[in-house]
């Protein structure tokens, strides 16, 4: 069974090897600096291979985001849980020219809903570098709040943890909106 998600404008699908060029260009433009710092070509390749392997090993992972009617990778958004991660993460990276178009929020909302419904997650966090103000603003637009008591993944870099609303909190919010 092939799983994919659709939103009003987007398709979220499992990443494929052909998405590597867009990922490599994103990394070359400094797009991974908040996550990993500066990477060599080999490290970028292994990082993308990890995205593919996460799906293969766990049956889920970051979705490749495309506009409907195009198969051009615009970013990676979705659930992430490597073996050494303390919690389920909802992550995002939007490639170059796709930034600033609302893609990350639209895709992250769909990916979070899928993680809660299909994967059975009851909570999710986003690990964000303190200087990554765009990601912090996105987390806040998604309703996530800082959780200073949460554990962070192993890293030598500082990391903020934003906790997303639980499924029942999102459902309550939708019911309140509908009642207005």
């Amino acid at each position: 069974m092939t799983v994919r998600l659709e939103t009003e404008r987007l398709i979220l699908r499992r990443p494929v090897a052909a998405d590597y060029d867009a990922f490599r260009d994103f990394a070359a433009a400094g797009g991974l600096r908040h996550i990993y710092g500066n990477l060599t070509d080999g490290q970028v390749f292994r990082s993308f291979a990890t995205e593919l392997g996460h799906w293969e090993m766990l049956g889920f992972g970051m979705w490749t985001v495309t506009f409907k009617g195009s198969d051009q990778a615009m970013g990676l958004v979705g659930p992430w849980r490597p073996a050494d991660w303390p919690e389920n993460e909802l992550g995002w990276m939007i490639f170059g020219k796709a930034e600033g178009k609302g893609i990350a929020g639209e895709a992250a909302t769909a990916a979070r809903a899928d993680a809660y419904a299909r994967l059975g997650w009851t909570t999710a966090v986003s690990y964000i570098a303190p200087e990554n103000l765009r990601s912090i603003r996105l987390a806040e637009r998604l309703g996530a709040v800082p959780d200073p008591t949460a554990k962070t993944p192993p890293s030598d870099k500082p990391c903020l943890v934003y906790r997303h609303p639980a499924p029942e909190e999102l459902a309550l919010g939708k019911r309140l909106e509908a009642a207005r």
Side-chain angles (χ1 to χ4, degrees):
M1 174 178 89
T2 302
V3 179
R4 78 181 209 163
L5 306 177
E6 289 191 37
T7 70
E8 183 178 326
R9 300 181 299 158
L10 307 173
I11 299 290
L12 283 68
R13 61 161 171 79
R14 183 176 175 157
V16 296
D19 299 332
Y20 174 68
D21 290 345
F23 183 82
R24 184 197 58 226
D25 293 348
F26 171 70
L32 296 175
R33 72 186 176 285
H34 295 301
I35 303 168
Y36 303 113
N38 295 320
L39 299 179
T40 66
D41 291 343
Q43 290 169 319
V44 170
F45 179 87
R46 286 186 289 283
S47 179
F48 186 74
T50 299
E51 298 289 342
L52 299 176
H54 193 285
W55 271 95
E56 192 62 32
M57 293 177 71
L58 300 177
F60 69 89
M62 301 267 279
W63 300 94
T64 292
V65 179
T66 69
F67 282 113
K68 286 183 175 176
S70 169
D71 201 42
Q72 175 63 42
M74 305 309 295
L76 294 167
V77 175
W80 187 246
R81 185 65 192 261
D84 59 350
W85 248 226
E87 294 196 54
N88 296 324
E89 180 182 15
L90 178 67
W92 48 79
M93 50 184 105
I94 301 301
F95 303 159
K97 293 178 184 171
E99 286 187 327
K101 297 181 181 353
I103 294 168
E106 188 174 333
T109 298
R112 180 177 63 193
D114 179 68
Y116 286 166
R118 185 173 58 88
L119 303 178
W121 288 11
T122 59
T123 188
V125 298
S126 291
Y127 300 115
I128 303 174
E131 71 277 5
N132 192 344
L133 300 179
R134 291 184 82 163
S135 280
I136 290 169
R137 286 193 302 270
L138 174 59
E140 291 171 347
R141 281 195 309 274
L142 293 168
V145 295
D147 184 350
T149 65
K151 291 182 181 177
T152 59
S155 175
D156 58 352
K157 295 178 142 212
C159 176
L160 302 174
V161 181
Y162 275 75
R163 173 122 2 238
H164 289 267
E168 59 275 6
E169 292 172 296
L170 292 171
L172 176 62
K174 286 181 183 175
R175 286 196 302 272
L176 291 174
E177 279 183 30
R180 289 184 188 160

